Amino acid sequence: MSAVAAEVSQASSSRWVPAYVGVGSNLSDPAAQVRRALEALGGLRATRLVLRSPLYLTPPFGEVVQPAFVNAVAGLLTQLSPEELLESLRLLERELGREPPRERWGPRVIDLDLLVVGREKRDLDALKLPHVGLAERDFVLYPLADVAPALDVPGLGRVWQLRERV
């Protein structure tokens, strides 16, 4: 890599980018699990927790019979790439007690979903940005509107407008 390319790469990696993470739990004192996860997000490498929504009690999504969820959204500033941030979230889930899912949309101790990272768009197997289903899920849009109502979600519109449609 040339010295100029290395300098540009280093400069772009030191740029702070807003990111939003959905946090949810419906097992083992869900409200405490969500609060614990919000605190832990502030400890991620090259990332700062700057906003957190109130907690919402929401019915489960999907067909699996299970307890209600507690959901929230964290607003972060990060220097990590979307891929690095997603990997950090997966590691944090495991540290917080998440086990491999037994059922799709089933119960869980903690769930961290990367919703939006700056103006980034991704359509990869492992990473989709903005998060799939964001525009249809009230349990995401209500807490997201608490921390970033004017956020323009790439390709979808402003959060407050999306929230009005659910």
Side-chain angles (χ1 to χ4, degrees):
M1 180 184 301
S2 74
V4 172
E7 187 175 321
V8 169
S9 176
Q10 185 177 21
S12 67
S13 67
S14 65
R15 186 173 58 101
W16 291 93
V17 177
Y20 299 89
V21 175
V23 182
S25 173
N26 72 341
L27 297 175
S28 303
D29 192 354
Q33 297 293 347
V34 169
R35 285 188 197 98
R36 195 173 95 171
L38 289 168
E39 289 300 319
L41 286 167
L44 293 178
R45 175 181 67 84
T47 300
R48 304 289 178 262
L49 174 66
V50 294
L51 298 166
R52 63 176 82 194
S53 76
L55 305 185
Y56 285 79
L57 185 64
T58 61
F61 184 79
E63 302 297 319
V64 177
V65 176
Q66 60 186 309
F69 273 82
V70 173
N71 292 100
V73 166
L76 309 173
L77 286 175
T78 188
Q79 293 177 319
L80 301 176
S81 71
E83 293 78 9
E84 292 170 322
L85 184 54
L86 180 63
E87 179 59 28
S88 294
L89 295 177
R90 294 298 163 253
L91 289 170
L92 183 56
E93 282 179 331
R94 289 193 293 280
E95 288 172 13
L96 294 172
R98 180 161 179 169
E99 297 176 1
R102 295 188 180 117
E103 302 175 87
R104 183 175 179 152
W105 296 320
R108 59 203 66 181
V109 170
I110 197 66
D111 188 30
L112 301 175
D113 289 329
L114 187 53
L115 303 173
V116 178
V117 179
R119 301 291 307 154
E120 298 288 331
K121 291 177 95 174
R122 297 282 196 287
D123 191 12
L124 309 169
D125 288 341
L127 177 60
K128 304 215 183 293
L129 288 175
H131 191 279
V132 174
L134 180 150
E136 294 86 35
R137 296 180 180 163
D138 58 352
F139 63 89
V140 173
L141 289 170
Y142 274 79
L144 184 56
D146 286 330
V147 298
L151 174 67
D152 186 13
V153 179
L156 299 176
R158 302 233 178 251
V159 168
W160 69 268
Q161 293 169 321
L162 296 171
R163 186 189 67 187
E164 287 182 354
R165 295 182 199 140
V166 296

